[in-house]
Amino acid sequence: LGNDIWGYKDLETNRLYALTGQTDGASIVDVTTPTNPDVLVFIPSTLPHFVNWRDMKIFENGDFFIVADSSNHGVQYGNMNTLIAKARNHRMAMNDSRRIYRATLHEDVPVNTDVGNVHNVAINEESKTLYVVGSTQNGNSQGSQGGLVMYDVSNIDNGIEVVGVYSGDG
């Protein structure tokens, strides 16, 4: 079952992609030809059970962030271009033009566990800030009480870091 979708345009190739949320993870789909979508990458959930609510966002440079409203999920992140290239290389090596590359958690797709469950995520391209809200998991919400947790995501190759928390009701 699908639960969210976010679009991405590769500015070098002009190809169009969708990052889609499912109950068991997320997928990167080439939708350049809308009548023939091509699933390139499957990104597994950090959890062993199905999750009905995921949210995701993508920066213009291809950096993406995936959250789920279920305990202990955390924030998954990576780069669309990197995973797309791995998927295409995997297909060539396997001589199979429709094989789906299964991303490896913590290698292909790191996971930040400063928060657990998250209801929604937003981004600010200019400041390279990721905003997560609705993390109410006791002991793993940075004390936000469901409020705003802000991350510096200016260089995801070096990880993402909490830079602020707002726990006020508002």
Side-chain angles (χ1 to χ4, degrees), residues 107-121:
E107 288 179 34
D108 294 326
V109 181
V111 181
N112 176 281
T113 57
D114 288 330
V115 294
N117 66 306
V118 174
H119 184 73
N120 204 348
V121 62

Side-chain angles (χ1 to χ4, degrees), residues 27-56:
S27 294
I28 297 174
V29 183
D30 185 332
V31 294
T32 305
T33 306
T35 56
N36 189 26
D38 183 12
V39 180
L40 298 170
V41 179
F42 175 70
I43 302 166
S45 176
T46 63
L47 303 171
H49 59 273
F50 290 152
V51 177
N52 290 330
W53 185 271
R54 288 184 200 286
D55 195 20
M56 54 207 59

Side-chain angles (χ1 to χ4, degrees), residues 3 67 72-73 77 152 155-156:
N3 50 34
V67 297
N72 300 314
H73 183 274
Y77 61 97
D152 174 356
N155 185 356
I156 67 167

Side-chain angles (χ1 to χ4, degrees), residues 72-132:
N72 300 314
H73 183 274
V75 179
Q76 295 174 285
Y77 61 97
N79 183 273
M80 296 283 287
N81 298 316
T82 300
L83 285 179
I84 290 164
K86 283 186 175 191
R88 296 204 187 282
N89 290 337
H90 181 68
R91 285 180 171 184
M92 287 192 320
M94 296 302 219
N95 198 26
D96 183 348
S97 65
R98 297 302 277 189
R99 183 174 291 262
I100 299 171
Y101 177 73
R102 184 180 176 91
T104 304
L105 291 179
H106 307 288
E107 288 179 34
D108 294 326
V109 181
V111 181
N112 176 281
T113 57
D114 288 330
V115 294
N117 66 306
V118 174
H119 184 73
N120 204 348
V121 62
I123 56 176
N124 181 316
E125 290 261 0
E126 189 174 312
S127 68
K128 302 291 186 219
T129 304
L130 175 74
Y131 302 94
V132 302

